[in-house]
Amino acid sequence: MKYNHILIRYSELALKGKNRTDFEKKLTENIRRSLVQFPQVKVIRSFGRMFVELNGADEKAVSDRLQDVFGIHSFSPALKIELDQEKIDDGALWAMKDALPDQEGTFKVTVKRPNKSYPRRSQELNYHIGSHILRNTDRLTVDVHQPDVEVKVEIREEAAYIMCKTLLGAGGLPVRTAGKVLLMLSGGIDSPVAGYLALKRGVELEAVHFHSPPFTNERAKQKVVDLTKVLTRYGGTIRLHIVPFTEAQKEIHQKVPDKYEMTVMRRFMLRIAEGVAFNNNALAIVNGESLGQVASQTLDSMHTINEVTNMPVLRPLVTMDKLEVIEVARKIGTYDLSILPFEDCCTIFLPPQTKTKPNKEKANHYEKELAINRLVQAAVEQVETLTIRAGTNVDKEIADLL
Ligand code: ATP
Ligand code: MG
């Protein structure tokens, strides 16, 4: 015997009416997309739940992929069995043994019977199936309060489902149910994590990266492409907009005093990001800033930089410590890429001292020397857009790069 299905649970309590239908449709679509490498599996929606019909696909490999799909609360490998009491008994025994291979410990059986025409009632079935397991094993005992294993049996119209394990899903909301955002993606540790957390809230994501050839090289760009590829595991296909930033950066470097160079550069990035967001129907910008982490991320700095746009700027990491961010980066598979040592456009030219409390008046004053509109427009127009698709070989490509 082996598990032939996976039962998927999802729950966002506020969901009603049309929202619920959209949520379910998107979730089904996203699950299918995440399982493309298993052409034999089928995803079926049924009464507030979903089933993956494995058709021979490996349960563990499929579970691995499901763990990355936002909107799934939890899931369980399930044995689907026809409504025949003997077969149900044997199925429950097999699942019990599979969950505790050395067959030592405690269990309980919990039967649910939405199918009221099934001849035996839940209580009677609990007892009957429990006895069958006890008779056919030596060192198992029943504990109804804190069992090592709970054997769940659901008697539905079409069949019975038997489950012993519950795995936690990624939570959140299905991607592409909440509008589009534009992620400012550097090659650092923070912004990919910010992108991941934004995806968790159900957005569709595009990314923008600023690069300054010849000061930043092809490998730095490739690193960002690879980081985007990791994010496609969670978000599906992602469009990456690469902005040529050399001209603007050079001019800022020439004309703005050292202490305000960083602030003005950030203001330009934000203006350009706004232009790219507008052209691609994104409703907000997401970045990897966290409060107080570095000079450009003090509250004064954020205030002065944020002034140049009316678009919402979401900062999923705003309250996180660096160590917390690193932990997520490791979990989602971006950390090893992020720490590769390639120059980012933010680090070139930059003077040793940056103002931690820049003010708006001065920033505006220094910017008078610059052709803001021309520089911003030129950058937005010259964007190079790459479409990064979810691949089955992301891990291999990353391994090649390391
Ligand atoms: P990260 O690890 O994301 O690079 P950081 O702690 O190094 O963050 P900064 O370099 O100050 O911080 O950047 C702050 C945010 O600005 C980044 O999280 C990212 O969203 C955005 N950003 C910085 N550099 C770039 C870039 N070259 N292209 C796009 N966005 C950038
Ligand atoms: Mg950085």
Side-chain angles (χ1 to χ4, degrees):
M1 242 183 258
K2 67 182 183 180
Y3 283 115
N4 49 19
H5 281 67
I6 293 181
L7 179 144
I8 294 175
R9 305 175 194 86
Y10 48 91
S11 80
E12 276 282 332
L13 296 173
L15 285 178
K16 292 202 187 90
K18 181 172 176 304
N19 279 348
R20 173 160 206 116
T21 318
D22 286 351
F23 179 107
E24 291 179 338
K25 266 197 199 144
K26 271 292 179 243
L27 184 57
T28 314
E29 207 177 294
N30 295 347
I31 292 172
R32 287 198 179 117
R33 193 196 63 224
S34 80
L35 299 179
V36 278
Q37 75 236 57
F38 307 99
Q40 71 273 50
V41 307
K42 265 198 183 159
V43 182
I44 304 152
R45 242 194 302 167
S46 138
F47 304 104
R49 300 220 163 152
M50 274 173 212
F51 291 97
V52 177
E53 199 178 288
L54 289 169
N55 294 320
D58 180 48
E59 163 232 326
K60 295 216 166 53
V62 170
S63 295
D64 262 3
R65 297 298 296 119
L66 290 178
Q67 223 122 30
D68 293 341
V69 179
F70 289 124
I72 295 181
H73 172 72
S74 68
F75 58 94
S76 297
L79 200 57
K80 181 178 180 182
I81 293 197
E82 65 183 280
L83 292 173
D84 171 304
Q85 191 59 52
E86 263 180 45
K87 290 187 177 153
I88 293 173
D89 296 344
D90 286 342
L93 177 63
W94 173 83
M96 179 65 235
K97 288 181 175 171
D98 178 70
L100 272 188
D102 56 6
Q103 292 177 49
E104 193 160 353
T106 59
F107 76 99
K108 79 167 174 182
V109 178
T110 311
V111 176
K112 279 195 193 149
R113 192 184 56 126
N115 173 358
K116 297 297 174 212
S117 64
Y118 193 76
R120 296 182 177 192
R121 303 171 79 100
S122 306
Q123 273 309 326
E124 186 191 343
L125 283 169
N126 283 341
Y127 182 79
H128 175 89
I129 297 169
S131 311
H132 183 74
I133 293 174
L134 287 171
R135 265 199 311 280
N136 289 283
T137 54
D138 297 326
R139 299 186 302 275
L140 289 177
T141 52
V142 172
D143 178 348
V144 291
H145 301 296
Q146 280 202 311
D148 299 324
V149 176
E150 182 177 1
V151 183
K152 292 184 187 161
V153 180
E154 286 195 21
I155 310 280
R156 294 182 162 241
E157 299 298 327
E158 73 287 5
Y161 293 87
I162 299 170
M163 291 158 282
C164 283
K165 296 185 264 190
T166 299
L167 299 145
L168 225 47
L173 297 163
V175 298
R176 288 161 212 266
T177 53
K180 194 193 282 181
V181 301
L182 181 68
L183 169 69
M184 294 176 68
L185 184 61
S186 70
I189 296 170
D190 299 328
S191 42
V193 173
Y196 170 84
L197 292 175
L199 285 168
K200 183 170 182 184
R201 295 321 296 164
V203 300
E204 175 179 358
L205 192 106
E206 298 200 5
V208 61
H209 176 68
F210 295 83
H211 89 136
S212 298
F215 307 106
T216 55
N217 61 23
E218 276 304 301
R219 294 204 70 183
K221 188 164 141 189
Q222 184 59 38
K223 175 177 166 180
V224 174
V225 169
D226 292 324
L227 282 169
T228 308
K229 202 146 196 187
V230 177
L231 289 179
T232 63
R233 270 188 213 161
Y234 312 99
T237 301
I238 294 176
R239 284 169 13 111
L240 170 63
H241 307 281
I242 311 246
V243 175
F245 199 43
T246 317
E247 207 196 329
Q249 250 193 315
K250 272 187 176 163
E251 213 163 312
I252 294 165
H253 187 58
Q254 269 172 21
K255 297 189 175 157
V256 176
D258 282 5
K259 282 192 171 169
Y260 272 77
E261 195 175 333
M262 165 73 100
T263 308
V264 171
M265 186 187 79
R266 298 281 173 189
R267 283 162 60 108
F268 268 77
M269 282 181 152
L270 205 49
R271 289 185 178 107
I272 295 166
E274 183 189 69
V276 175
F278 181 81
N279 284 348
N280 294 285
N281 305 315
L283 301 175
I285 292 168
V286 174
N287 69 27
E289 289 175 343
S290 137
L291 198 55
Q293 197 182 82
V294 288
S296 63
Q297 298 174 23
T298 63
L299 211 44
D300 294 85
S301 239
M302 277 184 198
H303 192 76
T304 299
I305 294 165
N306 218 142
E307 189 203 24
V308 303
T309 182
N310 285 323
M311 196 171 253
V313 178
L314 310 182
R315 298 177 174 86
L317 312 186
V318 76
T319 63
M320 286 169 82
D321 291 339
K322 193 75 184 185
L323 286 177
E324 293 171 313
V325 178
I326 288 175
E327 197 181 314
V328 184
R330 285 190 201 277
K331 187 185 87 181
I332 67 174
T334 54
Y335 183 77
D336 288 341
L337 275 170
S338 288
I339 57 175
L340 294 175
F342 304 126
E343 205 75 74
D344 183 58
C345 74
C346 293
T347 47
I348 55 171
F349 302 135
L350 279 188
Q353 19 148 291
T354 292
K355 216 157 168 56
T356 52
K357 291 192 169 188
N359 72 55
K360 294 189 211 175
E361 291 69 30
K362 285 201 174 148
N364 282 316
H365 171 72
Y366 295 133
E367 281 181 354
K368 289 210 176 95
E369 297 296 308
L370 301 165
I372 302 180
N373 287 344
R374 181 179 59 76
L375 289 168
V376 170
Q377 254 176 33
V380 172
E381 276 163 19
Q382 288 165 34
V383 156
E384 173 198 6
T385 298
L386 309 173
T387 300
I388 316 289
R389 290 176 207 289
T392 47
N393 49 359
V394 177
D395 291 323
K396 186 185 165 301
E397 282 170 23
I398 291 171
D400 288 347
L401 197 85
L402 292 177

